[in-house]
Amino acid sequence: MPAMLLLKLTLAPLLVAAATLVTRTWGPRVGGLLMGLPLTTGPIFLFLAIDHGPRFAARATVGILCGLIGLAAFAVGYVAASGRAGWRRSYPFAAVLFLVVSIVASRLGDDVIVAGPAAWLALVLATVLIPRPRRDIVGVAPPWWDLWVRMAVVAALTLALTAVAGTLGPTLSGIVGTYPIALTVIVTFTHAQLGRDAIVAMLRGSTLAWTGFASCFLVIGVSIEALGISASMGLGGLAAVVTSALVLWIDRGLARTALRRAVREL
């Protein structure tokens, strides 16, 4: 088996497996924060950069940032739909929102400096619109096949997307590469097993973490042609960590302020 094919078959599924185990150990909110990292988009972007070069990859980052605007719509749409429907209807609604909003956002143009702040704004708005979960999440034991099915689905979707992405051009390739493969698998399984409150917690955590995702690809888009794939992705990873830490610190501070206000009102 060629090394690149083996990497496509294993890298994203192993990352999703790790996120799944973290979710089971520390809960949906922490799992959502981990799912906010580019667990599938990162590998797909790496494959595109290797196959098509830094210039193609730089333009693909604009599509990825437009896809993040679509992901904000995905999260808000899923939470809204899940108030009245199960995952079978909530997911298609959110998926259509992702595609429509991402394509509309791509009309912003090819400037990564414009797309990056637009993605941040959309994600902050999504975080405001998604409520904090109202109660603790009670877990249930998943079936033995659960993790293996998740990994198999992610591997199949990753292969399919990387097979067609290069033929679409860099912007559409970036949007397709941002499609929430890992999130689709984990959100639908979590919704079916733990219920709506778990999904609200997970998607709110994800929108917070996606701000780091936006920082990551903004930095990569600005630097990849000058610095190359490895250095730019390293800087992007650093930007993601710093942004995520800052956003989490602000969110926790706001939560403590809201709690103190609620206590004073009692």
Side-chain angles (χ1 to χ4, degrees):
M1 180 182 293
M4 187 60 68
L5 178 59
L6 179 62
L7 194 61
K8 290 179 181 180
L9 283 171
T10 58
L11 182 56
L14 289 174
L15 291 173
V16 168
T20 299
L21 295 174
V22 166
T23 299
R24 291 176 184 174
T25 303
W26 286 289
R29 186 177 186 276
V30 176
L33 293 172
L34 185 57
M35 289 308 303
L37 300 176
L39 300 181
T40 54
T41 303
I44 288 172
F45 177 81
L46 176 62
F47 301 143
L48 288 176
I50 292 172
D51 291 342
H52 301 283
R55 179 170 295 181
F56 184 99
R59 294 182 61 194
T61 59
V62 176
I64 290 172
L65 291 166
C66 291
L68 281 169
I69 298 174
L71 280 178
F74 177 98
V76 173
Y78 196 106
V79 168
S82 67
R84 296 185 176 182
W87 70 267
R88 290 180 179 84
R89 284 188 290 173
S90 299
Y91 167 68
F93 176 72
V96 170
L97 270 182
F98 167 81
L99 292 172
V100 171
V101 171
S102 297
I103 291 172
V104 171
S106 68
R107 301 298 179 91
L108 291 170
D110 294 331
D111 191 345
V112 71
I113 300 298
V114 173
W120 282 330
L121 180 62
L123 292 168
V124 169
L125 179 60
T127 303
V128 171
L129 292 174
I130 297 174
R132 294 181 186 275
R134 294 172 295 178
R135 59 184 177 86
D136 293 334
I137 309 304
V138 178
V140 296
W144 66 268
W145 45 262
D146 176 271
L147 183 60
W148 299 105
V149 170
R150 296 186 190 204
M151 293 175 67
V153 171
V154 169
L157 290 174
T158 301
L159 282 176
L161 287 180
T162 53
V164 303
T167 66
L168 301 176
T171 300
L172 281 178
S173 295
I175 291 174
V176 171
T178 312
Y179 184 79
I181 299 173
L183 192 68
T184 292
V185 176
I186 291 184
V187 161
T188 52
F189 275 71
T190 300
H191 194 175
Q193 294 170 359
L194 300 180
R196 182 175 186 265
D197 284 343
I199 291 306
V200 172
M202 175 170 283
L203 288 176
R204 193 176 189 281
S206 291
T207 57
L208 286 171
W210 284 333
T211 56
F213 194 157
S215 295
C216 175
F217 283 98
L218 172 59
V219 169
I220 291 173
V222 169
S223 64
I224 190 169
E225 290 189 77
L227 301 180
I229 297 171
S230 299
S232 66
M233 291 190 74
L235 286 176
L238 178 61
V241 171
V242 171
T243 301
S244 294
L246 179 60
V247 167
L248 286 176
W249 178 73
I250 293 172
D251 184 62
R252 288 174 180 172
L254 292 174
R256 287 193 294 267
T257 300
L259 179 60
R260 286 194 295 267
R261 185 182 298 116
V263 170
R264 285 197 300 268
E265 291 174 355
L266 290 178

